[in-house]
Amino acid sequence: MKQVQNVAITAPGYWGLNTEDSPTTLQPSFASIADNCVIDKKGRIASRKGMEYVTTSGGTSTALKSLFEFTGDDGAKVFFSTGANKVYTGTTTLSDGTPGAASISADNWQFTQLNEEMFMFQAGHAPMMYDPDVGSVQLVSAHSGATGTPPQGNCVLAAFGRLWVSGVNNDPSTVYWSDLLNGAAWSGGSAGSIDVQEFWPDGYDKVIALSEHNGYLVIFGQWSILLYAGPDNPATMVLQDVIQGIGCVSRDSIQSTGGDLIFLDRSGLRSLGRTIQEKSQPIGILSRNVNTDLKNTLAAETGIVKSAYCRREAFYLLSFPSQNLTYVFDTRFPLEDGSLRATQWIDRSITAFYVLDDCTVYMGGTNGILEYSTDYTDEGSTYPLRYYTHPLDFGQPSTLKILKEIDLIMEGGDSYTIAIKWAFDFAGTYRTGTVRTSSGTAAEFGISEFSIGEYGGGAGVSSKQIKAGGTGRKVTIGIETDISTAEFAVQEMNVHAILGRII
Amino acid sequence: MSLWDLISGGLQAGGNAYLANQDIGRIEDLGQNYYDQAVNFGQQAVENTRFQPFTVTSSLGSGSYNPDSGLSISASPQLGQAIGDTLGLAGGLANRFTDANFINNRATTFGQTFGVNQNQPTADSRFSSLSSMLGLGGTRDGAQYGSLLSALGLNNQVGGASGYGPMTFNDRVGGVDGSFANMMSGLNTGRVGSSGADPMSVLALMGEQGGRNEADIFRMLEDMQNPERERARLDLENRMFSQGRTGVRTDAYGGTPEQLALEKAIEESRSGNAFNAYRLAADEAYKNRSLRANEVSSAFGLGLQERGQDITQNDILGRLGLGAINAALTQRGQDIDQNQILGQLNLAGLDRALTERGQDITQNQILGQLGLGAVDRSLTERGQNINEDLARSGLSLDAFNAALAERGQNIQQQDIFANQGLNLYRNALAEQGLLGDQMAQLAQTAFLPQQMLLQELGLGLDAAEIANRNLLAGQELNYNSMLGGLDALLGFQTAATTARSNRDRDILNLILGSQESGSNGLADLFANAISDLFN
């Protein structure tokens, strides 16, 4: 009598996607598909939250491309967004705050704040700013403190007590800095510039983005990175390091995680800290497990790549809006090779991100501002979750497996119908069985809703089994469901199979 | 009463009335005439008291006054020329003395020309006492040099467009007084060594610069330091490049602070080199001239040895183009002195005067050179002080004085003279020297005489006050006259009225009297009138 072999996959897919390595050798913890998933706080494949519009008025067809929240010294906040060649203020209601003197033909603005003033730069456009004492957005040149001509750069950084701007059309290698504590003063004082054209290691490059890291001014080129030390005195700052072969392809892909900078290179998602340590070694690629797909996606992208880093959610989002795809990299615990666990959000074109002080994630949408919402609906509708394993051989790749049963332990879900799918030997034809989760919402310990009706929610852990069938050497198992009201996570998956003859 | 009586009485009364009317008319005419004449008299008084412009003419000038333009004084051509020359000299001197660049340039030229140490040219070429240079005697100081120059007849040259200014004069004098004198003393020492050089060529060298100029030395110093500078620049450039900073441009420093510091250090070094170049050039020039002076002496000694001649002071003068002095010295057997120098400086007139009179230069000669021949002669003939001569014979304001005296005003010639601001000029000439700034002051104040005159007249500075006062007097007379005329007219009109009243009363009485008596009163009156008529 053949003995039933049990393969238990605890926290299936918690290593995230892996589309790089051979599926035959991958651990069961990797997923081949993880759509609209995140790695939750327990290290499980779970559904992402929903996306609901915050904007209820004035947001129609705004197609927001940039978001920014200005915070005054008195704590007053003003939310700015740009789209349809306009500048809007507000969240629930978007008001057109475009200066009359501004001539805007694109929406690729980059925002920053310096000394209680907001500044926004875009190549080929006169920079604009918001001064709460003025109360409206105006051209920098129109501000009472303006001196000189502000550069019409494409990237701006507020750091070391001044603004840093680069990416001026036809002058792509010069970094300009403003006078100290005055982002409107571009002549006199300690204002100045540096042309780094001579210092690109490949002979030619252009500044894509500027950032600050560990007291260094980081100048991102397309193909290389320059690190200047001592930028608190720009006249004496010195070139500390040059990184060749790694650059930044997207200005808005750069996010500071506190101890590191994450940015998108043509070779994949990179960490500056590890890049400095390891130079251009491939081991430093954070997106290693999805790198080819990521690079292909990047190559095919025609929109503006956007990103966000949320400490509370502990993920780094990288959106490719023209392909309705967002890569999600979990930043809690890197894998052994240093890469980040990745999942994907599909079927959503996210054109802008901004993370508020309370870690609320705002996103740019066609008709205004979207919030990463605990409603677990997208604009009131369900959205699909798909999780698929790589082909599993149960440790005996040459032995035929006769699939008997699949057990799922799930958490959350509110009477969700779960489709469990399986297929053999890399075939794309899946058999399907369904289970249904318990009703009610899952308990949300530690999410500040204790004693507010959701503590010990009724929809807790659901353990469901289905009888499976079929034979093959390798089995691929998938889970699909529509997320509608509550979080859903796959806690554990057990596959029972009878090992047959050796093929 | 008979008809005759009546008629005769009526006729008499009518005749009396007619006569009374005639008298009344005469009385009124008399009053009117009296009034008219009083009015005419008053108007005449006004006209007579109106201020009349007057003109005063003297041998040295003329002056006129009218209430509109005030007092105008025109000097005679001679006096005008003299004053103009003097004022021109004063202005020129004032400008020259206050032009620091001019003095410095002259000092530099002087130093370069005569090889004076560059640290000393200003002091050496500074105007000291001309008398000490020329030996003219007296105790004049440098500040009086201006007036002395004018005394030497250099007015036009100083103040004119010839460019032959006082400093040029000084240069020439200084040159003669300095280098020439030194050379003379050197030559007097006789033959010193022998270099075998041609004396003429050596002399020609005297006119050249004493050594390389500052620019050459500056370039040499720069050439010595430029390699190190370039090394410093290159080091900095390499350091900047290694630090990734070659593209830094700042508003505060232009480039980087290090680049600014280097360029600043280089510029400071260049400034130091420039200063050192001046000092070294001066030192070199001084040494070269000392060497050439020895060569000159040696050359002359050799040249004269070869010619078998002895060298004299006159030979040297001839070589230097001072043939006239040389000849004069030869003829007179005199040693060169300040007079010959003055003669060579176109001061022949003064030279001759000095020679003929055997006198020291005095104020008279100065005046003579100034073209004030009349004054000079007057001074010579009268032996009087220039103050009085100029005041009395020079301006001859007697007519004006007399005119004022006739009007009962007490003003003296000298007061007029003083009020015309000529006292400064007079005193300046008397004291033989006017400072440039004093002359300039004179130039500014000399044309304000009318104010002084009016002040002297006690009328303040308002020129129209004189006319006003006269007009007031005339108006007062006019008023009084008219008032008298009116009084007379009123009196006569009163008398006429009284007469008319008496006549009317008499007629009335005549009528009333005949009615009351029932007699032939009217006839009596008529008869009386006829009787009076024929009586």
Side-chain angles (χ1 to χ4, degrees), chain A residues 68-72 74-80 90 130 356-358:
Chain A
F68 185 78
E69 186 178 57
F70 166 82
T71 304
D74 58 356
K77 297 178 184 297
V78 181
F79 200 89
F80 297 94
Y130 171 79
L356 303 183
D357 292 342
D358 62 358

Side-chain angles (χ1 to χ4, degrees), chain A residues 177 186-189 191-195 198-199 228 235-239, chain B residues 240-253 255-258:
Chain A
W177 58 82
W186 292 94
S187 68
S193 66
I194 180 172
D195 186 352
E198 294 177 326
F199 309 110
Y228 274 84
T236 60
M237 65 181 182
V238 298
L239 185 61
Chain B
M240 298 294 291
F241 188 82
S242 67
Q243 294 176 345
R245 301 170 61 202
T246 53
V248 171
R249 298 289 180 269
T250 61
D251 284 11
Y253 308 109
T256 64
E258 295 92 329

